[in-house]
């Protein structure tokens, strides 16, 4: 028996342990993953104790649920590897132990199949600061082979779980959580659109029976790849369960001698879904994202898209910029419409030269005006796309990905990012704009799915972004894809902000942000105060709700500021000032989703990592079924500590709030145990409102 263990600890306290074991020279399997085991635990005994019984109707020995389940060893479920040789004949590998190396906490295991000239390597790397284990699989071959499917290291799912939670969605409705009961067979999800997709965020959460946001055990998975993924959650006939993640099948279009999965990010939580969420949030913010200037406060954003769309007029944009700065904006982003002959979305995409009709003196007059207001300047690109009605497509129709008669999306095709000449052209055009203007931000859009799945497209896009970041290291990049269509840890390794959704409807955003917090921190999640009448829902919402929902994440505005009344402008200035006063600690805070007893309430608690302060956002998304608000339980406080809590905007409560809850009169000092077990008693308020409560440990 060979055994290995991975411990995630901060030098003093372990938070999770993962144990791998292999019989003889076979591939290893995970025999334990959960709370920390004592250092003296006998791993061979654990491996033996992990084995299940054999009875009628079964093989005489249970095939291993290994890190790459092998069809050649009678595994009854989905295999972790599907191959063909250069002539198309299926290969059924049978791997044997080759090597292992443990470097600190990192572990590398090597296995070989000399009959087929294959080697398989598994890599594991725990991060003690974030409680994430990164895992990936590498396959090498002596001669070119065709790959259909390669899973990242395969792990078992807990059998003491009733359901799994994965993530779907749609345009302006991203991050919808699906709860699927476990049953014999497969929960199979595959995204073949060529980008991460609104519909297929590559994440999975498995709560154990009875787990909630704040309590119980849970397991989290995220596959960090932007090109489409496949997920398998399978319950075998014997009751064992496996989780597989990898690139979407069949996306390696050419034979090769080396293939590698993306990193699979793993975490175990002993305190509910929030334990997984906080681990993912910290890992994204502190490990995945590389910041041009980590010490720089996140600037309040202004984007002009929903103010002007394609109607760019320099005097108008100057006026809007002046008003945005007066409201508290610190960055001005010029969106689609500044280049080529771009008067609508049917033309000029890929013609990245400044439109002389709209900007006869170039972009500098607008940039200088923005800088004079104390704001920095950002600009929109959609580099990977091309309109058929464009100079580039007329000159190089062969640069488009897919058939010439393909179905268009938003009147555009995708460029073939696997071609070096395409990447060179895009780099030169973008570098000319960025190099000749004082621009510190790029909104990078991706407004259609691909006409065909191809992993080289994603690798080419990554290469272009990497090259531009190397040339312009001070420029920050936002990943946008019709809103939340390309959000994953792969793209976040190259960008610093994501546009969570094209919906600026505060009610829709309240839910989307709440569910996205299972994986994403405030620091990267853009959220804007939209127009009074939302352009995607038609709903009219009060400025307080719109402003406070935006203040839950990286705050910005995206409306025509000329529409604001004096009252609305005053509210927006006040909330923006509050956000600036708190952004330094909130940017590094953990976002805990609260288990609200009232289903009409969507609430979260943003808490400093040292626990010294917090802010609770309690959004009342609908009319409650009961008259008085139910107490809202907080989480992750010190039971014996005292916290001073205060209600923001208490003067905005309606006249129908006629009672005397203590929070209405000012700060209240309350024990942590009371706040977590009884809960905050909030004043009554209308639906479509937000209660904001600040707390400090005394």
């Amino acid at each position: 028996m060979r055994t290995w263990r991975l411990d995630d600890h901060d030098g003093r306290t372990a938070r999770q342990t993962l144990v791998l074991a292999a019989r003889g020279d076979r591939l290893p399997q995970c025999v334990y993953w959960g709370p920390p085991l004592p250092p003296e635990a006998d791993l061979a005994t654990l491996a033996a104790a992990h084995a299940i019984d054999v009875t009628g109707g079964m093989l005489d020995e249970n095939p291993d649920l290994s890190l790459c389940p092998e069809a050649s060893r009678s595994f009854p479920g989905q295999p972790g590897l599907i191959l063909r040789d250069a002539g198309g004949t299926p290969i059924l590998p049978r791997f044997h132990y080759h090597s292992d190396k443990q470097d600190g906490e990192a572990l590398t295991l090597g296995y070989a199949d000399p009959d087929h000239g294959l080697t398989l390597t598994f890599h594991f790397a725990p991060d003690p600061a974030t409680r994430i284990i990164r895992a990936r699989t590498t396959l090498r071959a002596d001669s070119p082979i065709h790959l259909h499917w390669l899973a990242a290291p395969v792990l078992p799912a807990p059998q003491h779980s009733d359901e799994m939670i994965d993530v779907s969605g749609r345009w302006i409705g991203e991050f919808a959580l699906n709860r699927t009961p476990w049953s014999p067979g497969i929960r199979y999800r595959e995204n073949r659109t060529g980008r991460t997709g609104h519909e297929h965020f590559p994440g999975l959460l498995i709560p154990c029976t009875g787990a909630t946001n704040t309590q119980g055990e849970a397991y989290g998975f995220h596959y960090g790849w932007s090109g489409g993924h496949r997920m398998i959650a399978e319950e075998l006939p014997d009751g064992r369960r496996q989780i597989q993640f990898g690139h979407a099948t069949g996306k390696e279009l050419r034979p090769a001698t080396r293939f590698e999965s993306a990193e699979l990010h793993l975490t175990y939580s002993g305190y509910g879904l929030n334990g997984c969420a906080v681990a993912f949030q910290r890992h994204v913010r502190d490990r995945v994202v590389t910041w041009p200037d980590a010490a720089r406060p996140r600037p309040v954003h202004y984007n002009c898209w929903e103010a002007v769309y394609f109607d760019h007029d320099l005097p108008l944009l100057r006026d809007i910029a002046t008003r945005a700065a007066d409201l508290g904006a610190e960055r001005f982003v010029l969106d689609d419409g500044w280049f080529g002959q771009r008067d609508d979305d049917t033309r000029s995409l890929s013609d990245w030269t400044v439109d002389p009709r709209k900007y006869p003196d170039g972009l500098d007059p607008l940039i200088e005006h923005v800088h004079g207001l104390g704001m920095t300047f950002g600009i929109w690109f959609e580099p990977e796309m091309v309109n058929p009605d464009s100079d580039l497509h007329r000159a190089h129709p062969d640069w488009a990905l897919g058939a010439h008669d393909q179905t268009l999306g938003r009147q555009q095709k995708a460029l073939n990012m696997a071609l070096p000449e395409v990447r060179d052209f895009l780099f030169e055009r973008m570098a000319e704009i960025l190099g000749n203007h004082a621009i510190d931000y790029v909104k990078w859009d991706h407004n259609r799915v691909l006409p065909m799945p191809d992993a080289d497209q994603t690798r080419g896009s990554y290469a272009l972004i990497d090259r531009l970041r190397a040339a312009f290291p001070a420029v920050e990049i936002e990943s946008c894809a019709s809103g939340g269509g390309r959000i994953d840890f792969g793209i976040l390794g190259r960008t610093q902000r994501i546009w969570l959704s094209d919906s600026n409807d505060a009610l829709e955003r309240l839910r989307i942000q709440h569910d996205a917090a299972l994986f994403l921190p405030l620091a990267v999640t853009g959220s804007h105060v939209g127009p009074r009448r939302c352009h995607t829902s038609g709903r009219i919402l009060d400025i307080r709700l719109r402003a406070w929902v935006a203040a839950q994440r990286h705050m910005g505005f995206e409306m025509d500021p000329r529409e604001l009344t004096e009252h609305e402008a005053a509210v927006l200035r006040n909330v923006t000032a509050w956000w600036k006063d708190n952004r330094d600690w909130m940017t590094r805070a953990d976002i805990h989703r609260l288990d609200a007893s009232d289903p009409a309430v969507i609430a979260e608690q943003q808490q400093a990592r040292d626990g010294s302060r917090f802010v609770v956002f309690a959004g009342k998304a609908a009319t409650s079924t009961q008259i008085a608000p139910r107490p809202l339980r907080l989480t992750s406080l010190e039971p014996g500590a005292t916290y001073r809590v205060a209600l923001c905007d208490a003067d905005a409560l309606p006249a129908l709030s006629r009672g005397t809850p203590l929070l209405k009169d000012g700060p209240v000092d309350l024990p942590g145990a009371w706040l977590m077990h009884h809960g905050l008693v909030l004043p009554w308020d209308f639906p479509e409102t937000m209660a904001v409560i600040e707390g400090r440990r005394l």
Side-chain angles (χ1 to χ4, degrees):
M1 184 74 70
R2 289 187 171 88
T3 60
W4 303 267
R5 70 179 285 167
L6 294 166
D7 286 299
D8 164 19
H9 58 80
D10 59 5
R12 295 168 298 174
T13 306
R15 276 79 64 89
Q16 62 181 323
T17 299
L18 188 147
V19 177
L20 304 174
R23 290 181 289 174
D25 289 344
R26 295 186 185 182
L27 290 176
Q29 56 183 329
C30 176
V31 298
Y32 178 83
W33 180 23
L37 293 173
E40 65 275 11
D42 187 310
L43 302 187
T45 300
L46 294 181
H50 171 268
I52 62 175
D53 203 354
V54 173
T55 184
M58 299 176 70
L59 297 174
D60 295 338
E61 178 184 309
N62 290 304
D64 294 338
L65 200 172
S66 71
L67 298 180
C68 184
E70 297 167 288
S72 61
R73 295 189 187 272
S74 301
F75 183 71
Q78 296 294 302
L81 182 62
I82 301 176
L83 301 171
R84 293 178 290 119
D85 65 19
T89 302
I91 300 173
L92 293 177
R94 191 179 181 91
F95 291 100
H96 300 273
Y97 173 81
H98 179 266
S99 63
D100 66 277
K101 178 182 179 182
Q102 196 137 15
D103 183 7
E105 294 300 328
L107 174 66
T108 302
L109 303 175
Y111 284 76
D113 177 352
D115 292 341
H116 294 102
L118 303 173
T119 59
L120 194 63
T121 307
F122 306 103
H123 311 268
F124 292 88
D127 190 313
T130 65
R131 303 199 314 273
I132 291 292
I133 299 172
R134 294 175 292 120
R136 57 186 165 87
T137 304
T138 304
L139 175 70
R140 292 180 175 85
D142 292 345
S143 57
I145 56 173
H146 294 276
L147 177 71
H148 182 72
W149 168 243
L150 173 65
V154 177
L155 293 174
Q159 295 187 52
H160 40 282
S161 168
D162 299 324
E163 63 181 3
M164 67 191 85
I165 304 172
D166 57 23
V167 186
S168 63
R170 57 175 173 80
W171 179 68
I172 66 171
E174 294 84 346
F175 282 90
L177 302 185
N178 306 301
R179 292 179 176 265
T180 305
W182 282 100
S183 62
I186 295 176
R187 169 70 168 166
Y188 179 110
R189 295 197 60 177
E190 185 158 30
N191 171 17
R192 304 190 61 78
T193 66
R195 63 180 186 183
T196 318
H198 304 77
E199 312 84 358
H200 297 285
F201 177 78
L204 176 68
L205 296 162
I206 303 179
C208 294
T209 303
T212 68
N213 285 318
T214 61
Q215 61 187 2
E217 293 182 291
Y219 294 81
F221 302 77
H222 174 79
Y223 190 66
W225 171 248
S226 306
H229 76 285
R230 179 192 192 194
M231 181 202 85
I232 293 171
E234 181 177 23
E235 182 173 302
L236 304 175
D238 57 31
R240 291 179 296 171
R241 296 164 172 172
Q242 67 161 331
I243 303 298
Q244 295 190 16
F245 274 93
H247 293 10
T249 54
K251 292 189 67 176
E252 302 292 353
L253 304 183
R254 286 162 288 281
T257 57
R258 185 182 185 278
F259 302 96
E260 188 168 61
S261 74
E263 283 193 332
L264 180 61
H265 300 78
L266 311 164
T267 191
Y268 161 81
S269 165
Y271 63 100
L273 298 179
N274 283 339
C276 297
V278 167
F280 285 131
Q281 292 165 22
R282 291 182 181 182
H283 195 73
V284 167
R285 183 186 60 234
D286 301 340
R287 294 291 186 269
V288 174
V289 175
T290 54
W291 304 96
D293 181 0
R296 180 189 183 189
R298 305 300 283 142
V300 176
H301 214 81
Y302 177 77
N303 185 291
C304 70
W305 175 242
E306 292 195 21
V308 300
Y309 292 101
F310 296 103
D311 187 17
H312 288 213
D313 174 75
L314 185 56
L316 172 60
L317 288 169
R318 282 174 167 159
D319 180 37
I320 287 174
T322 300
R323 292 170 185 264
D326 178 65
L327 293 168
E330 299 163 305
R331 171 189 285 152
F332 181 95
V333 179
L334 186 67
D335 212 289
D336 192 357
W338 57 268
F339 54 91
Q341 301 284 307
R342 183 76 163 172
D343 296 328
D344 54 39
D345 64 3
T346 68
R347 72 191 75 180
S348 290
L349 201 57
S350 73
D351 295 338
W352 301 114
T353 55
V354 178
D355 186 346
R357 302 170 305 154
K358 299 176 183 178
Y359 299 95
D361 298 315
L363 295 175
D364 284 337
L366 178 58
I367 294 174
E368 290 167 3
H369 180 76
V370 167
H371 287 171
L373 296 167
M375 295 190 290
T376 59
F377 190 85
I379 199 165
W380 181 93
F381 283 97
E382 192 173 3
E384 297 144 286
M385 300 293 156
V386 61
N387 287 128
D389 184 4
S390 67
D391 292 343
L392 180 67
H393 192 270
R394 283 184 282 271
H396 294 284
D398 54 311
W399 283 7
L401 183 69
H404 73 279
D405 60 348
Q406 65 184 263
T407 301
L408 300 182
R410 202 177 184 244
Q411 306 296 320
Q412 62 197 50
K413 299 179 180 180
L415 289 169
N416 188 344
M417 298 300 292
L419 299 177
E421 56 269 33
V422 169
R423 299 197 300 271
D424 288 345
F425 167 82
L426 293 171
F427 176 83
E428 290 164 6
R429 289 295 178 92
M430 295 180 73
E432 184 175 358
I433 297 295
L434 297 178
N436 292 330
H437 301 89
I439 294 171
D440 80 337
Y441 187 86
V442 168
K443 178 181 176 182
W444 188 303
D445 218 333
H446 188 292
N447 276 309
R448 66 154 291 169
V449 301
L450 300 186
M452 53 187 285
D454 185 351
D456 283 341
Q457 181 76 5
T458 302
R459 287 190 279 263
S461 297
Y462 282 174
L464 175 61
I465 299 173
D466 292 345
R467 184 178 175 188
L468 279 161
R469 287 206 61 199
F472 302 96
V475 174
E476 186 173 320
I477 300 175
E478 172 186 299
S479 175
C480 176
S482 299
R486 184 159 63 179
I487 299 174
D488 59 82
F489 294 4
I491 200 68
L492 279 166
R494 296 162 170 85
T495 59
Q496 294 79 29
R497 193 179 197 252
I498 51 92
W499 185 228
L500 192 58
S501 177
D502 276 346
S503 173
N504 277 326
D505 182 301
L507 277 182
E508 294 175 349
R509 274 281 181 154
L510 181 65
R511 198 280 307 160
I512 294 170
Q513 291 175 178
H514 185 68
D515 292 336
L518 288 166
F519 296 92
L520 301 172
L522 176 152
V524 303
T525 307
S527 187
H528 295 173
V529 182
R532 186 182 302 119
R533 178 183 288 276
C534 177
H535 291 187
T536 54
S537 71
R539 187 183 282 123
I540 295 175
L541 293 167
D542 184 77
I543 186 63
R544 291 186 186 276
L545 179 66
R546 287 148 57 205
W548 282 118
V549 167
Q552 288 184 280
R553 298 297 184 266
H554 182 193
M555 188 175 188
F557 322 139
E558 190 165 348
M559 91 293 274
D560 188 339
R562 297 174 300 171
E563 78 169 16
L564 296 172
T565 66
E566 290 185 12
H567 166 73
E568 290 173 326
V571 169
L572 187 50
R573 285 191 198 96
N574 289 339
V575 176
T576 303
W578 179 92
W579 191 82
K580 288 180 179 179
D581 288 342
N582 289 276
R583 62 180 161 189
D584 287 346
W585 74 267
M586 285 173 57
T587 297
R588 294 192 56 78
D590 299 325
I591 303 173
H592 300 275
R593 290 159 35 110
L594 297 179
D595 293 318
S597 299
D598 182 350
V601 173
I602 298 175
E604 69 182 32
Q605 176 182 323
Q606 297 188 17
Q607 182 164 305
R609 288 184 65 163
D610 64 3
S612 62
R613 63 191 303 181
F614 62 82
V615 59
V616 171
F617 295 92
K620 193 173 181 182
T623 301
S624 299
T625 57
Q626 76 285 344
I627 294 177
R630 299 190 190 279
L632 179 63
R633 286 180 166 186
L634 307 191
T635 188
S636 298
L637 304 178
E638 293 180 28
T642 299
Y643 294 84
R644 180 160 293 165
V645 295
L647 179 67
C648 294
D649 264 2
D651 58 343
L653 290 168
L656 282 174
S657 175
R658 300 183 297 156
T660 57
L662 208 52
L663 275 177
K664 291 174 72 171
D665 295 331
V668 184
D669 295 347
L670 296 167
W674 195 91
L675 290 167
M676 290 190 291
H677 296 283
H678 180 280
L680 279 171
V681 177
L682 298 174
W684 185 92
D685 207 347
F686 291 119
E688 301 180 0
T689 55
M690 177 85 79
V692 181
I693 302 96
E694 296 180 273
R696 287 180 179 269
R697 186 178 58 209
L698 298 180

